[in-house]
Structures are given as C-alpha cells and as structure tokens.
Amino acid sequence: MQKRAWVLDDEGLLSIDFLAGFTIFILAFIFVSLMMSGLLINLQSKTIDYDAVAYRTGVVLAEDPGEPKDWHLKDLKFPSERAEILRMGLSVDRYSPGILSEKKVEKFFIYASSSSCSAMDTFCYPNDYRDKLIFGDYQYNFNITLRGIDSSEIDQDLGPVPPNRHGHIRRVVKIKQPGTINFPANTSGTYNEITVHFNFGDLYEREPLYRLEPLTEDTIINLTDFGEARELQVIRACTFPTLGTRTCFLLYSNSPTVKVSDGINPYDQSFPKTISNNMSIVIEDGFFGRLGLDEYSEFELVLTFNGTVTNQSMYTVTYDNITFSEPIPAAMEVRIW
Amino acid sequence: MVGDAGQLYTIEGIAAGFLMIVTAYLVVSTTTVFTPQDVHIIDMQLQQLGDDVLTMMDTPNEYGEKSILVEAVENYDMNSFRDQFLQYANKTSNTRQDNLKYRATIYARKSATKEIVTIPFGGSTYYRENAVTVSRWVIVNNTPLTGQLPNADPRNQTVLLEVLVWRG
C-alpha cells in the first residue's frame, strides 16, 4: 500500500544513533563555548591581577629571605655576582616570617637608573626589581614604601606615585636591630693584649630574631673603661682550621674587613691609634665569609696595645655580654599598576 | 568510475576532521581564569593585615621576655591591647592614617566543667560592617600572682583571641 506523505513513518523518527551523537555534540559545543571567553584573556590579563602581583611581592619581601639568603653581601659591581641574586627577599630567615634584616632593607632601597647602575654597587631601577622581585611578563610599575610605626628612623620609598587604580597590599613587619658586644677593659691588669674569642656554634643556637649573626651582619664590639690612655698598635685575626693550629694574620685593607674607632672619630684602620677611655671595633658583614668561616667555626681577634689593658687572658663572646636594641615595627606597602 | 558520491564523502570527511581539529585547538588554547569578586580581595588584604598585626604583637622584643600580646591578655589590659593594635593596623605610608576598627573576644576553657567561657576584650561596637576575623592562640599563665584574666581558670592555659576587624 502506498504511504501517504503526511503519515508518520519510520523514516521520520529519530534514531538512537542520532540522539547519542547529537547529545555528545551538544555537550562538546557547550563546553567549548564556555571556554571561548578565556580566549580573550591574553589581551586583558595584566589588569586582572594587580592585587595578586602586589600580594605575591609583599610575601616575597616580608616572608622570604631571598635567594641566596645572604644576597645583601654580594658586590653588584661585578655582573656575575649581580646575576647570582635570583630573588630579593628581606626576611632574616625562612622560619622567621615578618622579621626583616636591617642590612637587606638598606641594600634593597639603594638604586640608580638603568643607564648608570651596572658599574656601581646598586640595583638598577626598574629592571633589577622587575627581574628579581616582581616577576611576570608584563612591565609592571611599582611603588614600595617602608615606614616605621612609632619611629621616624625607617622611612624608605621606591618608585613613582601610583595612579588611583592599582593593586595594593600592606604588611606589618619588625626590623631586627644588630646586637653589640660589650667588654670592660682594665688598664691596671696584666695583659698587653685583648683577645676576643668567638664560638659561632654557641651564638647560632638562638632563633634568628634574638641572635647575633656575625656572618651576615656587622659585628660591633665595644671595649670600655680603659681608665688610662693606651695606644692600639695592631689587630690580628686568628682562625682555627679543622686540622691545624691557630693561625693569625694581619687584616685586609679593603672591605669587608675590621675597623676601629676611638669613640670620637669614624671607623678606620689607621694604627697606631690612641685610646683614651673606650673604643669600638666593627667587623663588617661578609668578613667572616671571606675567611671561609661558617656557623660552626671559631675565631679570635687579638688587639695588641703598648701597655696593660686587661686582667683577662681571653674574652669569650656569649649572650651574657651582648645587648640588643628592640626590633623596630614598620608598615610596608606594595603598589602595582 | 569516479563519481560525485565519493567526492562528497571525502569533502565531508575533511570538513569533519577540520572541525574537530579546530575545536580541539580552541579547547586547549583557552585559559580558565577564576576572577574573585572585588570584595574577596579586600577581605584577603584585611585578613593578612590583621594576621600580621597579631603576629608582630606576639613577637617579644627581647629574648625570653613575654610579648606585648601575652602581657595584655594575662593582665586583662584592654587599653594596652587597643593602643598597640590600632597603632600597628592603621599606619600607612601617607600622612593620613587608615581607619580600621576592631572588636576582640577571648575564649577560654574551664577544665572542671569543660565549658567555653567568652571574655570580651574591648574594641568598638560592631554595626554589621563588612568584617573579617583574625585569631591567635595565646599561652597565658593565669595563676593568681601572674594573670588576672576574669572568668578563666587560675592555671596555665591556652586561650583563643579572636579579633573582628573592619574598615570604617
């Protein structure tokens, strides 16, 4: 019997095959169309994440000691040492987030414009900061400030004034202050030499905020109460090699080295030096690294005078004769645009 | 022997293949980005700041000493806590300071009854602004000669200090 055109027959029904194929197609189409919006990301992506970049930069500055962690000892006049710095973090230690190193803060905020910086011991603005702190493909502009909370001692700025729309983060930190070693002299004693002995293993036992860090910070030794004037003739440094005897030698003349102040004039290395009542010695940061010492080494500084200065054969540096200034709280703000 | 039917199948096959390859390329080259709403970013910034302030207040200034936070909680000194918290939280790089307010509460546990007591610890009145909560566990020595935390057991214990922080 001939079929009539308007009667439904088998050929008009949708087959299972067609339904299955159509369903899969529609699902795939929905999936692709939802992801199409992501195609335009590359045209606009830098505006989305200013806050994210600011947050990440804040974390690197406040919580990361940097790579290498003693990057502030590098001399940037040498391109190879500049290239060794991969990340500029200001923290003293990775297990002490929020505690900043004073030396790292000082070095971080010293910069020069890109045309003249490569021959100097300063960071290049803005390239070094973009490569070693901000990261990312886009040339972000940045402004980083550090202000003491109850002290005007800390007042640093880096970068131009930002526009109204920018990514922002504020972190509260404490800046660790270096400790000073204090020993009393005694001119009615029996020894002509003052020997200051360091046992780094004892010093590095404390947690980073409360410890003396001779390897990465300046070490200041104050000798007081001389009573009578004496002349400091020479200073020698002595190391204790693992297999060997105590070896003493004269100091280097170029930094990092040991310098002396008679309490009135600035630190220098001019000997003989007349000491009236007190004196101060600074062992610059990086000096011990230059000698190849580490956290397990011993070291002695021997000062030879022209008369008796003490009745102690040796002064051993312990936390009983070290005083620390309180860490300085500060607010750090990072702005990115 | 070459007919239209064969060419049509070939063209169909090429078109289908082209469509699949283009689709696969589009799928692979798109990036899925999760853009948080603005208010969550502000919340995160405030939370990080509040966390930093409590951490710095809980960092003793000298080795072996108690921190300002521990002393304030042990002595139930709301004024000292308020002064220090607001000073740390509102400092900015401009001359104009920020305008953060807080409301602090201490939660302590009674060892005899196991109940949690709530001890208010000062701050401004909260009128439902958009706020974040930051908290810190504080080890206090609440024995009679050392600590004066009211309603808490007179013993060494760990209490929870919760601070609600908002801008405005």
Side-chain angles (χ1 to χ4, degrees):
Chain A
M1 189 168 132
Q2 193 175 10
K3 290 180 183 166
R4 287 153 76 157
W6 48 271
V7 171
L8 290 175
D9 60 9
D10 289 337
E11 288 163 15
L13 292 172
L14 297 175
S15 68
I16 304 282
D17 284 344
F18 175 75
L19 279 174
F22 189 68
T23 307
I24 293 170
F25 171 75
I26 285 295
L27 285 175
F29 182 75
I30 291 170
F31 188 63
V32 169
S33 62
L34 284 176
M35 294 183 89
M36 284 291 276
S37 56
L39 267 183
L40 301 173
I41 289 302
N42 289 336
L43 300 178
Q44 283 276 80
S45 66
K46 81 172 179 164
T47 60
I48 298 176
D49 59 354
Y50 287 157
D51 280 307
V53 174
Y55 176 75
R56 181 182 69 203
T57 307
V59 170
V60 172
L61 287 173
E63 302 183 25
D64 184 11
E67 180 63 42
K69 56 189 267 247
D70 56 354
W71 59 266
H72 60 294
L73 301 177
K74 301 285 179 199
D75 189 343
L76 302 173
K77 283 198 291 293
F78 303 104
S80 58
E81 293 205 23
R82 188 188 291 265
E84 276 175 24
I85 301 179
L86 299 178
R87 217 165 53 241
M88 295 193 284
L90 304 179
S91 169
V92 291
D93 189 85
R94 59 187 281 226
Y95 297 112
S96 299
I99 311 296
L100 306 190
S101 153
E102 194 189 41
K103 282 280 175 179
K104 286 182 182 172
V105 169
E106 271 176 27
K107 188 139 181 134
F108 179 79
F109 283 103
I110 298 176
Y111 60 92
S113 69
S114 293
S115 52
S116 54
C117 60
S118 45
M120 303 193 292
D121 188 13
T122 64
F123 285 113
C124 296
Y125 175 85
N127 296 333
D128 275 343
Y129 295 98
R130 286 199 179 125
D131 293 338
K132 300 175 195 301
L133 178 68
I134 313 284
F135 306 111
D137 294 327
Y138 290 100
Q139 310 281 304
Y140 293 108
N141 295 305
F142 53 92
N143 174 292
I144 300 171
T145 60
L146 189 65
R147 297 269 187 269
I149 287 181
D150 48 15
S151 143
S152 54
E153 219 180 293
I154 311 286
D155 191 2
Q156 302 275 21
D157 274 279
L158 173 66
V161 175
N164 286 339
R165 288 198 58 192
H166 55 267
H168 170 257
I169 191 75
R170 185 159 89 236
R171 303 297 304 258
V172 177
V173 294
K174 279 193 174 176
I175 302 177
K176 179 191 172 192
Q177 300 300 295
T180 54
I181 304 166
N182 303 297
F183 287 124
N186 184 356
T187 42
S188 52
T190 49
Y191 295 94
N192 274 25
E193 283 185 347
I194 288 183
T195 306
V196 181
H197 184 95
F198 287 84
N199 194 342
F200 291 156
D202 293 339
L203 295 176
Y204 274 86
E205 269 180 355
R206 276 195 188 177
E207 53 191 275
L209 175 56
Y210 307 108
R211 75 179 174 213
L212 195 72
E213 300 236 29
L215 297 176
T216 52
E217 289 174 359
D218 284 347
T219 307
I220 299 171
I221 307 171
N222 290 331
L223 296 169
T224 55
D225 302 328
F226 274 79
E228 295 168 16
R230 288 284 184 265
E231 202 178 70
L232 172 62
Q233 293 169 329
V234 73
I235 300 186
R236 293 196 312 280
C238 303
T239 56
F240 296 79
T242 316
L243 299 170
T245 51
R246 177 174 176 266
T247 316
C248 296
F249 47 91
L250 292 173
L251 301 171
Y252 309 111
S253 52
N254 59 339
S255 282
T257 183
V258 180
K259 294 185 177 164
V260 181
S261 158
D262 55 8
I264 307 160
N265 301 312
Y267 290 98
D268 61 24
Q269 271 192 345
S270 64
F271 301 116
K273 196 183 277 289
T274 308
I275 309 295
S276 30
N277 194 41
N278 45 30
M279 60 179 281
S280 178
I281 305 163
V282 64
I283 307 176
E284 293 173 335
D285 57 352
F287 174 73
F288 292 117
R290 197 177 180 180
L291 301 179
L293 303 185
D294 61 18
E295 293 97 358
Y296 308 104
S297 307
E298 287 180 62
F299 173 81
E300 266 178 17
L301 208 58
V302 180
L303 293 83
T304 310
F305 294 83
N306 68 342
T308 56
V309 281
T310 180
N311 48 13
Q312 271 182 258
S313 61
M314 185 160 73
Y315 293 93
T316 307
V317 176
T318 63
Y319 282 107
D320 292 333
N321 32 50
I322 302 177
T323 50
F324 287 96
S325 307
E326 287 189 359
I328 302 179
M332 180 171 66
E333 291 190 89
V334 179
R335 294 181 164 88
I336 302 282
W337 67 96
Chain B
M1 297 211 304
V2 173
D4 289 339
Q7 286 175 342
L8 208 53
Y9 282 133
T10 312
I11 290 169
E12 184 191 346
I14 291 171
F18 178 72
L19 200 62
M20 282 193 290
I21 288 168
V22 166
T23 307
Y25 169 74
L26 284 177
V27 166
V28 165
S29 70
T30 53
T31 8
T32 311
V33 170
F34 294 104
T35 16
Q37 300 298 316
D38 281 347
V39 71
H40 294 158
I41 295 178
I42 294 171
D43 282 353
M44 179 273 289
Q45 291 169 338
L46 210 51
Q47 182 132 30
Q48 181 68 63
L49 182 65
D51 220 36
D52 277 350
V53 171
L54 285 182
T55 306
M56 288 303 119
M57 282 175 71
D58 203 17
T59 305
N61 282 331
E62 276 185 38
Y63 184 74
E65 262 191 8
K66 287 186 187 173
S67 64
I68 301 167
L69 185 64
V70 168
E71 281 188 2
V73 171
E74 266 182 8
N75 298 328
Y76 198 54
D77 190 350
M78 293 194 269
N79 293 332
S80 146
F81 177 82
R82 180 196 62 228
D83 291 342
Q84 188 85 134
F85 186 90
L86 292 179
Q87 189 192 33
Y88 280 12
N90 285 322
K91 176 72 183 175
T92 63
S93 53
N94 309 322
T95 42
R96 200 167 54 106
Q97 302 293 283
D98 206 343
N99 190 19
L100 295 180
K101 298 192 168 63
Y102 77 95
R103 175 151 203 79
T105 317
I106 297 173
Y107 297 94
R109 189 183 70 97
K110 292 271 196 204
S111 63
T113 56
K114 307 275 190 286
E115 61 165 319
I116 308 285
V117 293
T118 307
I119 306 166
F121 199 47
S124 318
T125 317
Y126 177 56
Y127 291 114
R128 300 270 189 208
E129 286 92 340
N130 197 24
V132 296
T133 305
V134 288
S135 55
R136 194 158 177 95
W137 292 98
V138 186
I139 300 174
V140 297
N141 184 355
N142 204 28
T143 50
L145 289 177
T146 326
Q148 301 167 34
L149 201 55
N151 293 340
D153 284 344
R155 59 180 171 91
N156 272 326
Q157 59 190 292
T158 310
V159 300
L160 180 67
L161 171 68
E162 262 194 12
V163 184
L164 197 64
V165 184
W166 66 93
R167 183 170 275 122

